[in-house]
Amino acid sequence: MEKKITIYDLAKELNVSPGTISRSLNNHPSISQKTKDRVVFKANEMGYKVNKFAVNLRTQKSNAIGVIVPKLNSNFMSTLLAGVEKVVNEAGYNLIISQSLESVEKEIMNAKTLYNSGVDALLVSLAFNSESSEHFMPYIKSKIPLIFMDRVFNLPNCPTIVIDNFQAGYDATNHLIQQGCKNILIVTGNLKRNVYSNRLLGYKGALEDNNIVFNEVNIIETSMEPQSAKDVVDYIKSMNVPIDGLFVLSDSFAAHCMQKLKTEGFSIPNDIKVIGFNNDPISELVSPTLSTIEYPGYSMGLLAGESIINQIKGNINLQETNSISLRHKLIVRESSKK
Amino acid sequence: MEKKITIYDLAKELNVSPGTISRSLNNHPSISQKTKDRVVFKANEMGYKVNKFAVNLRTQKSNAIGVIVPKLNSNFMSTLLAGVEKVVNEAGYNLIISQSLESVEKEIMNAKTLYNSGVDALLVSLAFNSESSEHFMPYIKSKIPLIFMDRVFNLPNCPTIVIDNFQAGYDATNHLIQQGCKNILIVTGNLKRNVYSNRLLGYKGALEDNNIVFNEVNIIETSMEPQSAKDVVDYIKSMNVPIDGLFVLSDSFAAHCMQKLKTEGFSIPNDIKVIGFNNDPISELVSPTLSTIEYPGYSMGLLAGESIINQIKGNINLQETNSISLRHKLIVRESSKK
């Protein structure tokens, strides 16, 4: 490895004092812009590197924010992270992103690794099968800001950023009922997660308000992976009372179900009306275009980023605003037309 | 802020020596498993935190790998990052992810911030308008491993991980010609980027090998944002010789163009045959289903992760394998049927 460049090397090269180098690199007002420019140019040219670790040791700040999400390659999650990254990057923080890959074991390991990395804060969206909050306790004990987004635990002093999943589920179901559906199947992911269980409650609420009796057989819980679309269509074909409405809690899985239904001879929206969730780009591009609930991923990301920065800096006390709920929107397209 | 928990606090609490605490936390063989378990349990309970910065100062390793990508919320990029994260996480490294948002100014700023954060390596996929490699020089001078993925610069000692974009462009164009197309429009992003310019060269090569004269009017350069689909369709309608083939260098933009073409009365594949690029999930879900080039984003991510870990650990010398090219695959679906 090459010898590490120090401020003394820079001072010698530029024929100024080490103090001038140090003040220039710290943008001190006592140094002229011309000198600063010369120093910064030479520092870059020679490959000078700030000893950030020494700075960290002094300030006990890592300037890093940890993130744990189920997986990076989902449209909603990558959109949300794009929002978070924009805000924290502009505030001078680095974002350390890790995936649980829907496994609680990996979530526990990531929480531990990020804790030991000395992150200043943690943003979490939970894995499918995460049930205990034990692995977040070290953050709470050390008073490191911890915010849950979308898939959340409700822990004391840990703000959550969510949408009103109950109301969103209600609105989607109510829309199908208004379009004439009387026997609606809801297709959901793991009901341990708040996002899905609350949308299911909304579904039940809308049925009740429209005097439709809820039937347990009208819930199907799946992995929402493309290959499960066949199971959903087989289930629909096996039902005694024909389904006339389908509420799928993910646009991308709804698109797969529609495709499978079409190849099995179902006409959408004539035989079955369909509504998805998320307003993924895909929902505008399938035929028929897919009705859905718009879910503000990017805004959620911006807000999560702003909240965490404010909390680190002590500008606001998020404990007082323990849950931030963002507005969703019903988007009606061809798949649920009368 | 609460008082920081030290190994002395733990020692007092458990009534053992500080040395025992330290050895337990470092999993030293001289300590019994029972004691280790007690110490780790208590350390978690009390919110003890390893002073990683002190460790960093000693080892000059951050155990962090920086990443700069154009944007997180594209299917290809998030899939690629999912692969990178999986490998580096398993190797005990953190991934610091930043976005250039297709702006060279932000790319320069991110390169500087990550450099000053002391990352052990950097992975980059370039912004649309990045032309100078000046901002990567500090890494090269300091011998910090630097790998370019997909959108690359060819710099000495900086490996690149790409697909053979020339051959992929050739294969897509040749397929359309085999299906009977004689007047093929290519729809591309910014031609400053290697990925697009090389695919264009492949397009020209395939025309030449099939004795079709290349015509400059058959190239249209766009932002490939959804709203530009209208411009492409207007352009197609304005052409003197009708287009019978369309090669769009992104599936998602191809889907938008197809949708617009259909509403303008074009029949696909009868009037115009279409092929995209990437094999995005969307390509299977649109009607007609979209022919495309499969582009191994996840594999590219795994490989980039492995390469950078090996390079950090000195296991291999990537300088000797300066460019890794992954295999692409032509996928024929309905949109290019005869």
Side-chain angles (χ1 to χ4, degrees):
Chain A
M1 200 181 231
E2 261 181 4
K3 184 180 167 295
K4 209 174 150 60
I5 305 295
T6 67
I7 58 170
Y8 301 98
D9 300 322
L10 287 170
K12 201 175 153 194
E13 192 74 23
L14 291 167
N15 203 17
V16 297
S17 75
T20 300
I21 300 291
S22 170
R23 281 191 293 277
S24 298
L25 292 173
N26 287 303
N27 203 20
H28 195 278
S30 70
I31 308 287
S32 74
Q33 191 58 47
K34 199 180 150 201
T35 304
K36 282 178 194 167
D37 290 346
R38 270 181 71 217
V39 170
V40 170
F41 182 84
K42 184 56 82 180
N44 278 327
E45 193 186 84
M46 292 178 72
Y48 171 77
K49 205 164 153 183
V50 176
N51 194 337
K52 187 69 166 272
F53 301 131
V55 175
N56 285 336
L57 193 60
R58 204 166 60 232
T59 63
Q60 288 291 337
K61 285 278 170 207
S62 68
N63 264 14
I65 295 168
V67 177
I68 308 175
V69 295
K71 56 179 190 172
L72 286 168
N73 46 333
S74 95
N75 179 67
F76 169 67
M77 208 40 84
S78 60
T79 303
L80 188 149
L81 288 177
V84 174
E85 195 278 342
K86 184 167 186 297
V87 171
V88 305
N89 183 309
E90 280 166 9
Y93 284 79
N94 285 324
L95 204 58
I96 303 183
I97 298 180
S98 65
Q99 305 177 102
S100 65
L101 301 173
E102 301 288 10
S103 140
V104 66
E105 290 77 22
K106 197 149 186 274
E107 184 175 289
I108 292 171
M109 210 186 68
N110 291 345
K112 198 176 159 185
T113 306
L114 290 169
Y115 182 82
N116 284 334
S117 299
V119 291
D120 294 334
L122 184 68
L123 288 167
V124 180
S125 188
L126 293 166
F128 261 159
N129 61 344
S130 193
E131 288 185 65
S132 152
S133 57
E134 194 58 41
H135 48 301
F136 298 116
M137 285 306 143
Y139 291 86
I140 292 171
K141 298 227 177 221
S142 307
K143 301 221 193 301
I144 296 169
L146 173 58
I147 292 186
F148 289 95
M149 314 175 288
D150 189 47
R151 297 204 210 153
V152 308
F153 278 142
N154 283 309
L155 299 180
N157 301 335
C158 298
T160 58
I161 300 178
V162 293
I163 61 161
D164 186 341
N165 282 290
F166 173 87
Q167 193 59 46
Y170 185 101
D171 292 350
T173 309
N174 198 52
H175 167 67
L176 289 179
I177 296 169
Q178 299 307 315
Q179 299 302 98
C181 298
K182 295 189 185 337
N183 192 32
I184 301 168
L185 181 71
I186 178 168
V187 181
T188 175
N190 194 319
L191 285 167
K192 277 181 199 150
R193 288 282 67 80
N194 64 302
V195 293
Y196 301 128
S197 59
N198 287 339
R199 290 172 204 169
L200 175 61
L201 289 176
Y203 162 87
K204 289 179 182 174
L207 294 187
E208 197 175 326
D209 286 356
N210 287 281
N211 300 312
I212 298 177
V213 178
F214 165 67
N215 192 336
E216 197 68 49
V217 301
N218 280 13
I219 305 177
I220 177 167
E221 202 175 329
T222 88
S223 70
M224 302 220 275
E225 293 293 329
Q227 62 274 18
S228 305
K230 190 185 176 302
D231 301 338
V232 173
V233 175
D234 287 347
Y235 188 75
I236 289 173
K237 287 164 70 182
S238 77
M239 292 183 83
N240 289 331
V241 186
I243 287 297
D244 56 9
L246 190 61
F247 176 23
V248 186
L249 302 189
S250 134
D251 281 343
S252 134
F253 192 56
H256 281 281
C257 291
M258 284 211 295
Q259 190 175 50
K260 201 84 200 156
L261 282 169
K262 286 194 293 180
T263 61
E264 295 284 325
F266 289 89
S267 163
I268 300 167
N270 297 332
D271 299 334
I272 301 182
K273 303 192 197 310
V274 183
I275 188 163
F277 212 100
N278 284 358
N279 198 25
D280 268 9
I282 218 167
S283 58
E284 276 191 278
L285 291 167
V286 290
S287 308
T289 54
L290 179 64
S291 297
T292 189
I293 299 287
E294 192 179 38
Y295 192 153
Y298 193 72
S299 311
M300 190 179 278
L302 293 176
L303 190 62
E306 282 160 14
S307 304
I308 211 100
I309 295 292
N310 281 329
Q311 215 183 354
I312 290 171
K313 295 192 170 164
N315 291 349
I316 56 160
N317 189 346
L318 270 185
Q319 293 163 225
E320 288 165 17
T321 52
N322 212 344
S323 181
I324 298 169
S325 188
L326 296 177
R327 214 162 281 162
H328 63 273
K329 199 168 84 186
L330 172 69
I331 296 182
V332 177
R333 297 204 183 96
E334 295 162 1
S335 67
S336 63
K337 282 262 164 70
K338 252 185 196 166
Chain B
M1 200 181 231
E2 262 183 3
K3 183 179 167 298
K4 208 173 151 60
I5 306 295
T6 66
I7 58 170
Y8 301 99
D9 300 322
L10 287 170
K12 200 174 153 195
E13 193 73 24
L14 290 167
N15 203 18
V16 296
S17 74
T20 299
I21 300 292
S22 171
R23 281 191 293 276
S24 298
L25 292 172
N26 286 302
N27 203 18
H28 195 279
S30 71
I31 307 288
S32 74
Q33 192 58 47
K34 199 180 150 198
T35 304
K36 283 177 192 167
D37 290 347
R38 270 181 70 216
V39 170
V40 170
F41 182 84
K42 183 58 78 179
N44 278 327
E45 192 185 85
M46 293 177 70
Y48 171 76
K49 204 164 153 185
V50 176
N51 193 338
K52 186 69 165 272
F53 302 129
V55 175
N56 284 336
L57 194 60
R58 205 166 59 232
T59 63
Q60 289 289 339
K61 284 279 169 204
S62 68
N63 265 13
I65 294 168
V67 176
I68 307 175
V69 295
K71 57 177 189 171
L72 285 168
N73 47 334
S74 95
N75 179 67
F76 169 67
M77 208 42 84
S78 61
T79 304
L80 188 148
L81 288 176
V84 174
E85 195 277 343
K86 182 167 187 295
V87 171
V88 305
N89 184 308
E90 281 168 6
Y93 283 79
N94 285 323
L95 204 58
I96 303 183
I97 297 179
S98 65
Q99 306 178 102
S100 64
L101 301 173
E102 301 288 10
S103 140
V104 65
E105 290 76 21
K106 196 149 187 275
E107 183 175 288
I108 291 170
M109 211 187 66
N110 290 345
K112 198 175 159 185
T113 306
L114 290 170
Y115 182 81
N116 285 334
S117 298
V119 291
D120 294 333
L122 184 68
L123 287 168
V124 180
S125 189
L126 293 166
F128 262 159
N129 61 343
S130 193
E131 288 185 65
S132 151
S133 57
E134 194 59 40
H135 49 301
F136 298 116
M137 286 306 143
Y139 291 86
I140 293 172
K141 297 226 180 225
S142 307
K143 301 219 193 304
I144 296 169
L146 174 58
I147 293 186
F148 290 96
M149 313 175 290
D150 190 46
R151 298 204 209 154
V152 308
F153 277 142
N154 283 308
L155 300 180
N157 302 334
C158 297
T160 59
I161 300 178
V162 293
I163 61 159
D164 185 342
N165 282 290
F166 173 86
Q167 192 60 44
Y170 186 100
D171 293 350
T173 309
N174 198 51
H175 167 66
L176 290 179
I177 296 170
Q178 298 308 315
Q179 300 301 99
C181 299
K182 295 190 185 335
N183 193 30
I184 302 167
L185 181 71
I186 178 167
V187 182
T188 175
N190 194 318
L191 285 167
K192 277 182 198 149
R193 288 281 68 80
N194 64 301
V195 293
Y196 302 128
S197 59
N198 286 339
R199 290 173 205 170
L200 175 61
L201 289 176
Y203 162 87
K204 289 179 182 174
L207 294 186
E208 197 176 327
D209 287 355
N210 287 279
N211 300 312
I212 299 177
V213 178
F214 165 68
N215 192 335
E216 198 68 48
V217 300
N218 281 15
I219 305 177
I220 177 166
E221 202 174 328
T222 90
S223 71
M224 303 220 275
E225 293 293 329
Q227 62 273 19
S228 304
K230 190 184 176 303
D231 302 337
V232 173
V233 174
D234 287 347
Y235 189 75
I236 289 174
K237 287 165 70 183
S238 77
M239 291 183 84
N240 289 330
V241 186
I243 285 297
D244 56 8
L246 191 61
F247 176 23
V248 186
L249 302 190
S250 132
D251 280 343
S252 132
F253 192 56
H256 282 281
C257 291
M258 285 211 296
Q259 189 174 52
K260 202 84 199 156
L261 282 170
K262 286 194 294 179
T263 60
E264 294 284 326
F266 289 89
S267 162
I268 298 167
N270 297 332
D271 299 334
I272 300 182
K273 301 190 199 314
V274 182
I275 187 163
F277 212 99
N278 284 359
N279 199 25
D280 268 9
I282 219 167
S283 57
E284 276 190 278
L285 291 168
V286 291
S287 309
T289 54
L290 180 62
S291 297
T292 190
I293 298 287
E294 191 180 36
Y295 193 150
Y298 193 71
S299 310
M300 190 179 278
L302 294 177
L303 190 62
E306 283 161 14
S307 303
I308 211 100
I309 295 292
N310 280 329
Q311 215 182 355
I312 291 171
K313 295 192 171 167
N315 291 348
I316 55 159
N317 190 345
L318 269 186
Q319 292 165 225
E320 288 165 17
T321 52
N322 212 344
S323 180
I324 298 170
S325 187
L326 295 177
R327 215 163 280 163
H328 62 272
K329 201 168 83 187
L330 172 69
I331 296 182
V332 177
R333 296 203 183 95
E334 293 162 2
S335 67
S336 63
K337 281 263 164 70
K338 254 187 196 166

